[in-house]
Amino acid sequence: MQSKLFRSKMVLHDDTLQTVSECLGITRQTLAEKLQGTSEFKQTEIDRLITRWNLTPHEVVQIFFDNPKSHEDR
């Protein structure tokens, strides 16, 4: 999970934690846990954000599946 990239997309689309959590049908606290990596996004939540932010497949992988810590080893 790349929370900085997630947040940048959120800002680019004039979203806030509140509007994103409402879109996903979750609380702001649950969204914060997902951004901190203590909880994972469900496929349905990712699908909603793909539609809302018009994400490309590459962006989806970067935001939700790329582990930034794996790049530290390179």
Side-chain angles (χ1 to χ4, degrees), residues 12-26:
L12 283 171
H13 291 88
D14 295 321
D15 268 325
T16 64
L17 290 175
Q18 183 65 38
T19 60
V20 172
S21 63
E22 287 172 0
C23 166
L24 301 179
I26 60 176

Side-chain angles (χ1 to χ4, degrees), residues 33-50:
E33 291 170 3
K34 291 174 187 282
L35 293 175
Q36 293 169 358
T38 56
S39 180
E40 293 185 0
F41 281 87
K42 296 177 184 176
Q43 184 62 50
T44 55
E45 296 165 343
I46 293 172
D47 289 341
R48 286 182 184 165
L49 292 173
I50 289 169

Side-chain angles (χ1 to χ4, degrees), residues 46-71:
I46 293 172
D47 289 341
R48 286 182 184 165
L49 292 173
I50 289 169
T51 301
R52 186 178 184 95
W53 295 340
N54 196 30
L55 298 175
T56 66
H58 180 71
E59 289 171 324
V60 172
V61 170
Q62 281 185 303
I63 294 169
F64 298 103
F65 302 106
D66 199 11
N67 183 355
K69 293 181 181 178
S70 67
H71 296 289

